[in-house]
Amino acid sequence: MHAADLACVALLLAIIAVSLLSNLLVLICFVNNPEIRKHAPALFILNLTFCNLLQSVSNMPLTLAGVLTSGQQPRGAAGGGGGVCQTVGFLDTFLTTNSMLTMAALSIDRWVAVVFPLSYHSRVRHRDAVAALGYTWAHSLCFSAAASCRSWVGYHHLYASCTLRCAKAKGVGLHYIVFTVTLHALSFLLALVAMCVTYLKVLRVARFHCKRIDVITMQTLLLLVDIHPSVRQKCLDEQKRRRQRSINKISTFIGTFVICFTPYVVTRMIELFSPNHINAQWGVLSKCLVYSKAASDPFVYSLLRHQYRKTYCLLARKILGRSRRDSFSPALKANPRRNPNSQNTANTSGDHVQEPGSKPSLGH
């Protein structure tokens, strides 16, 4: 095994571990916090989390097995079209397309929330979110089912995984080229355009609001002549942070999408016309970048938000407090001096209750 293969194995193991832990943490927060569940966008987050978890337990382990066997077909992918590989290849197309469209739906939701803040709750309700998710599922199922029916799903040596591949041994058929271009145009390109348009509009509105706030702040600072210079500087620094915060968030949303999916999609397009010019290590690396989106999504969309941080910090405190209580309870039982409850019990049991009209005993 080459050094590049060892690096891919280490990268895949890290992606699988981070993806499983982070997405499970998102599910735990979703279950334990009713405030998160009552908002309509939480359905998009839940759908994205399930897609990431399914990819972590189905596609990623098989790719890891393919890399460990140096690009040879794993047992479940015998002949390139085994039953396990057919199922995993179907899930690969379905989950990747579903994740892309869900990210586009989240960007549209953010645009409605920022541009129409007063009417947001009437425009985006739970039934609207369910309808959007129904479209993403139908869209993804159509392409996945079409690929399976045309036998375009199997083990692909270039990506060391069960995914889309041409069934013909010589060349690539015209139907497969049309299908692949249409799939990526209506999933990757559509989601990228939707994210760029909506998030740039969100950034424009955010900058407009920041300018209004800056004008009010500067007018206030001019009126307050006796204000301390440190307070004035803090206000100016807060203005800069406010402008930079929205840019950083939008850059993270679009940047992670482009970095994780673009190399794989470009490699797919090059493969259609010149498959012999693609390095095997690059094919596996581009697939690993797609998988890394499943590990980064919980941090980009969920875990760094205030509600999720508050939820898992509260759960951590409860777990730590319960474990400390359980660890201290045997020591308290063994040493009654440290247990005030046992002392109170002993004192209560040792005292004699004097009945009214009875004479006190000589011992007392």
Side-chain angles (χ1 to χ4, degrees):
M1 186 179 291
H2 299 287
D5 295 332
L6 289 174
C8 288
V9 169
L11 180 61
L12 276 169
L13 287 173
I15 290 172
I16 292 172
V18 174
S19 178
L20 285 174
L21 292 175
S22 57
N23 285 286
L24 283 174
L25 185 57
V26 172
L27 282 182
I28 292 170
C29 293
F30 184 86
V31 171
N32 286 277
N33 193 341
E35 287 293 323
I36 295 174
R37 296 196 301 270
K38 75 176 184 180
H39 298 293
L43 296 177
F44 299 139
I45 300 293
L46 187 64
N47 183 63
L48 188 62
T49 302
F50 274 121
C51 289
N52 293 337
L53 283 174
L54 279 174
Q55 205 166 36
S56 301
V57 299
S58 60
N59 301 89
M60 296 185 195
L62 200 58
T63 303
L64 180 62
V67 176
L68 287 173
T69 55
S70 300
Q72 296 180 0
Q73 298 169 355
R75 291 183 179 180
V84 175
C85 198
Q86 288 275 342
T87 305
V88 173
F90 176 88
L91 286 175
D92 180 72
T93 306
F94 173 77
L95 296 174
T96 306
T97 307
N98 200 346
S99 298
M100 291 180 182
L101 295 177
T102 304
M103 293 172 209
L106 281 168
S107 68
I108 295 172
D109 173 78
R110 287 298 88 203
W111 171 70
V112 176
V114 172
V115 178
F116 308 102
L118 299 178
S119 59
Y120 169 72
H121 292 289
S122 61
R123 289 173 179 266
V124 180
R125 291 165 290 186
H126 277 82
R127 65 182 183 184
D128 300 321
V130 171
L133 287 179
Y135 170 74
T136 61
W137 277 65
H139 185 115
S140 305
L141 280 172
C142 286
F143 281 100
S144 304
S148 297
C149 292
R150 295 300 301 266
S151 299
W152 288 336
V153 174
Y155 185 79
H156 203 308
H157 292 275
L158 181 61
Y159 307 103
S161 59
C162 294
T163 182
L164 285 176
R165 67 176 181 88
C166 185
K168 292 185 178 180
K170 298 181 179 179
V172 179
L174 179 62
H175 292 155
Y176 178 77
I177 294 175
V178 173
F179 175 82
T180 305
V181 172
T182 306
L183 169 65
H184 293 299
L186 294 180
S187 57
F188 170 77
L189 190 60
L190 178 65
L192 181 60
V193 170
M195 291 176 70
C196 289
V197 171
T198 52
Y199 282 133
L200 288 177
K201 288 187 176 182
V202 168
L203 182 60
R204 189 181 303 169
V205 174
R207 281 183 173 178
F208 174 73
H209 288 304
C210 285
K211 286 181 181 179
R212 292 182 62 185
I213 295 171
D214 292 345
V215 170
I216 296 171
T217 304
M218 292 305 297
Q219 290 176 352
T220 306
L221 292 176
L222 290 174
L223 290 174
L224 298 174
V225 181
D226 298 333
I227 192 172
H228 196 273
S230 62
V231 178
R232 186 188 300 270
Q233 187 61 37
K234 284 182 181 179
C235 293
L236 296 175
D237 293 339
E238 182 60 29
Q239 288 181 3
K240 294 179 183 178
R241 283 196 297 269
R242 196 184 300 114
R243 293 193 208 101
Q244 196 64 32
R245 196 179 300 129
S246 57
I247 296 174
N248 291 340
K249 286 183 178 180
I250 292 172
S251 300
T252 303
F253 292 147
I254 300 177
T256 53
F257 185 88
V258 171
I259 291 171
C260 293
F261 288 119
T262 302
Y264 178 73
V265 174
V266 172
T267 305
R268 279 290 191 180
M269 295 297 105
I270 296 173
E271 180 196 355
L272 293 175
F273 304 101
S274 57
N276 297 323
H277 293 84
I278 301 175
N279 191 5
Q281 278 80 18
W282 170 252
V284 175
L285 180 61
S286 65
K287 194 67 177 176
C288 290
L289 287 175
V290 174
Y291 292 153
S292 66
K293 194 70 175 73
S296 63
D297 281 341
F299 301 98
V300 173
Y301 292 102
S302 306
L303 295 179
L304 297 180
R305 293 175 58 189
H306 175 70
Q307 287 181 331
Y308 286 88
R309 280 185 296 166
K310 183 180 176 182
T311 304
Y312 61 71
C313 287
L314 184 62
L315 290 173
R317 284 191 203 125
K318 286 183 179 179
I319 294 170
L320 291 174
R322 191 175 300 167
S323 63
R324 285 178 183 174
R325 218 176 294 124
D326 294 340
S327 63
F328 282 134
S329 58
L332 290 174
K333 289 178 181 178
N335 191 358
R337 292 182 181 178
R338 294 185 181 179
N339 194 350
N341 294 328
S342 63
Q343 290 181 358
N344 294 334
T345 306
N347 293 333
T348 305
S349 61
D351 292 341
H352 295 282
V353 179
Q354 185 177 356
E355 296 179 0
S358 63
K359 294 182 180 180
S361 61
L362 296 175
H364 294 279

